[in-house]
Amino acid sequence: MTMPDNSTTRSFIDVPDGSDFPIQNLPYGVFSVEGRLNAHVGVAIGEMVLDLTVMEELGLLQPDARYFGGGSLNDFMAAGREAWAFVRKRLQNLLSAETEVLRDDSGLLQNVLFRQSDVTMHLPAQIGDYTDFYSSKEHATNVGTMFRGAENALMPNWLHLPVGYHGRASSIVVSGTDVRRPSGQLKPEDGPPVHGASRLLDFELEMGFFVGPGNEMGTTIPITDTPDHIFGMVLVNDWSARDIQKWEYVPLGPFLGKSFATTISPWIVTMDALEPFRGSGPVQDPQPLAYLNGMPEAAYNIELEVGIRPEGDSNDSIVTRSNFKYMYWSVCQQLAHHTVNGCNVRPGDMMASGTISGPTPDSYGSMLELSWRGSKPVKLANGQERKFIQDGDTVVVRGWCENDDLRIGFGEASGLVLPAL
């Protein structure tokens, strides 16, 4: 693992106190500006975006390498950790208050630096495949208790492997994209199925990681090699239609209740930026099989929260606060398990954690749990109540890491719910 950055390093670009994006972060994203046809790759620094596509064209990044000209991060993801580390170090040097290359060239800065408020963010990668895991023991226990009782809450396989399913990459959208309430088959308690709009629309508080270099079909990624294949992380809201899901998921699992939308934050925070916040996860009992062992410190202390902003309100009500460190199965175990059968993964593939729930009711990661299937409505700041998400609600996911000297943030993953067609 790379050593953490010096938390005293400062940029010549003003970074407000409490910003998600100090020079120790430098998350990658894809953006466009008005009047320019093509999307460019950039990094966030304070309230600004540094244009890496133009920087690369000017020869200011890595010599004899071209990663940022295709309007996505896939080429850079494929380049591997040595390239990631080189570019990161180069950017931190260029943005340092002590380096004059950018600092003292106002004409250059005008071409490569933009306010985040003036750009449009896009998906950071061309996502070929998407897998969603089910890796929070607290969440799995809560859901199992609701539907099967406390004695049979966890399925027999859950403590032995990271359970997952293959999601729908085409309906992953970037933060700020509206989400249409889905329709599908619903099964009343006392009658045949009907077609209609979901009445039990839910959020799922998750995080996701992007694959860097992949593996050939028929080969595996050993768990000790997984850090070389994980580029960085984003916030995820895996929207769920609970009533559609309940009727359809037997015998093959999630389908239309999940595939209508998944919202992610636009900035990918690299694993090097998260390194100061890496530590041990929950004790795993029984001990996993050998191919899932070997990375004892693969959890990350990432604070998470979800807010609901009703239509017409200017502020959101925080309905849950949780932490990524609660995840039972780590990102390294997820990737090792994903490839143990010889499945090939590719640069830009995304894998999500599954709902992140903590040990207390105020840390549950979905409305299904927070309202306990609608039996305990959640009160909002304006006095309204929610059992599930209503039309006109904006759901906002936020995440950050913080200690005495450093804050590394992810920004937001937000989406406004529109009525069904």
Side-chain angles (χ1 to χ4, degrees):
M1 293 284 186
T2 304
M3 292 297 292
D5 299 304
N6 186 342
S7 62
T8 63
T9 302
R10 295 291 180 264
S11 173
F12 72 87
I13 296 171
D14 180 55
V15 178
D17 291 341
S19 171
D20 279 354
F21 307 126
I23 195 171
Q24 289 81 10
N25 191 350
L26 301 183
Y28 294 90
V30 172
F31 73 100
S32 60
V33 295
E34 188 175 356
R36 192 164 67 190
L37 294 178
N38 298 323
H40 285 195
V41 174
V43 293
I45 175 72
E47 297 175 340
M48 310 300 287
V49 181
L50 181 68
D51 190 329
L52 300 190
T53 301
V54 173
M55 293 278 288
E56 184 175 72
E57 291 171 352
L58 295 174
L60 294 173
L61 298 180
Q62 188 166 3
D64 304 320
R66 292 292 180 268
Y67 303 127
F68 304 122
S72 79
L73 280 159
N74 293 66
D75 288 345
F76 188 48
M77 291 173 173
R81 291 186 73 191
E82 186 175 342
W84 306 340
F86 183 96
V87 172
R88 177 177 172 79
K89 184 176 180 180
R90 176 65 173 158
L91 289 172
Q92 288 182 323
N93 178 264
L94 287 169
L95 289 167
S96 167
E98 300 175 354
T99 304
E100 70 281 357
V101 176
L102 289 176
R103 185 194 67 196
D104 297 345
D105 192 331
S106 58
L108 175 58
L109 284 176
Q110 193 170 17
N111 288 327
V112 298
L113 202 61
F114 302 90
R115 291 197 171 275
Q116 290 186 35
S117 58
D118 293 336
V119 307
T120 299
M121 299 302 297
H122 305 279
L123 285 176
Q126 297 175 13
I127 304 172
D129 281 298
Y130 162 47
T131 299
D132 194 19
F133 285 93
Y134 188 56
S135 291
S136 163
K137 185 177 181 181
E138 290 81 3
H139 174 68
T141 299
N142 289 339
V143 174
T145 298
M146 288 181 207
F147 293 100
R148 293 186 299 275
E151 298 79 10
N152 301 303
L154 291 180
M155 299 296 284
N157 64 347
W158 201 93
L159 292 172
H160 296 274
L161 57 84
V163 173
Y165 71 92
H166 293 285
R168 183 72 185 176
S170 66
S171 53
I172 297 175
V173 295
V174 73
S175 177
T177 304
D178 295 343
V179 172
R180 180 75 62 180
R181 179 178 295 272
S183 294
Q185 283 200 21
L186 315 174
K187 177 65 171 67
E189 293 293 335
D190 56 354
V194 298
H195 173 258
S198 170
R199 293 188 289 269
L200 306 181
L201 182 62
D202 203 352
F203 68 81
E204 291 196 0
L205 169 61
E206 305 191 19
M207 297 202 68
F209 69 85
F210 278 89
V211 174
N215 61 305
E216 294 294 328
M217 185 174 177
T219 69
T220 66
I221 298 177
I223 192 165
T224 52
D225 291 349
T226 54
D228 294 333
H229 296 264
I230 299 176
F231 177 70
M233 301 194 71
V234 292
L235 304 171
V236 177
N237 177 2
D238 189 38
W239 300 88
S240 298
R242 299 299 186 185
D243 38 9
I244 297 174
Q245 181 184 3
K246 180 181 177 181
W247 173 234
E248 73 177 3
Y249 86 102
V250 177
L252 293 182
F255 185 33
L256 301 182
K258 294 280 192 176
S259 62
F260 60 95
T262 299
T263 299
I264 68 171
S265 52
W267 297 107
I268 303 178
V269 177
T270 65
M271 306 314 288
D272 281 345
L274 294 173
E275 176 66 10
F277 305 94
R278 181 170 62 90
S280 300
V283 175
Q284 296 182 322
D285 184 22
Q287 186 175 1
L289 297 178
Y291 78 93
L292 291 170
N293 275 317
M295 295 295 294
E297 292 192 342
Y300 292 86
N301 185 11
I302 303 172
E303 301 284 351
L304 299 164
E305 68 179 25
V306 179
I308 297 176
R309 184 166 65 247
E311 187 174 15
D313 278 16
S314 56
N315 297 313
D316 52 83
S317 299
I318 303 303
V319 296
T320 188
R321 289 185 171 91
S322 193
N323 195 297
F324 191 60
K325 69 182 180 182
Y326 297 134
M327 299 304 292
Y328 189 87
W329 296 106
S330 73
V331 294
C332 296
Q333 289 173 318
Q334 289 169 352
L335 184 55
H337 182 67
H338 201 303
T339 63
V340 73
N341 68 338
C343 174
N344 55 317
V345 296
R346 296 171 293 187
D349 285 358
M350 193 184 91
M351 300 185 188
S353 61
T355 305
I356 304 164
S357 292
T360 58
D362 59 353
S363 63
Y364 294 166
S366 66
M367 291 301 293
L368 178 68
E369 296 164 272
L370 290 166
S371 72
W372 207 256
R373 299 180 70 183
S375 66
K376 300 176 182 179
V378 176
K379 182 162 286 190
L380 305 183
N382 65 1
Q384 295 181 18
E385 293 183 339
R386 290 291 186 275
K387 297 179 180 179
F388 290 91
I389 304 302
Q390 295 184 6
D391 294 345
D393 286 347
T394 298
V395 178
V396 185
V397 179
R398 302 183 183 91
W400 66 94
C401 309
E402 196 164 19
N403 58 30
D404 293 338
D405 302 313
L406 180 64
R407 177 186 172 100
I408 298 294
F410 291 79
E412 295 183 351
S414 69
L416 167 67
V417 176
L418 301 179
L421 292 175

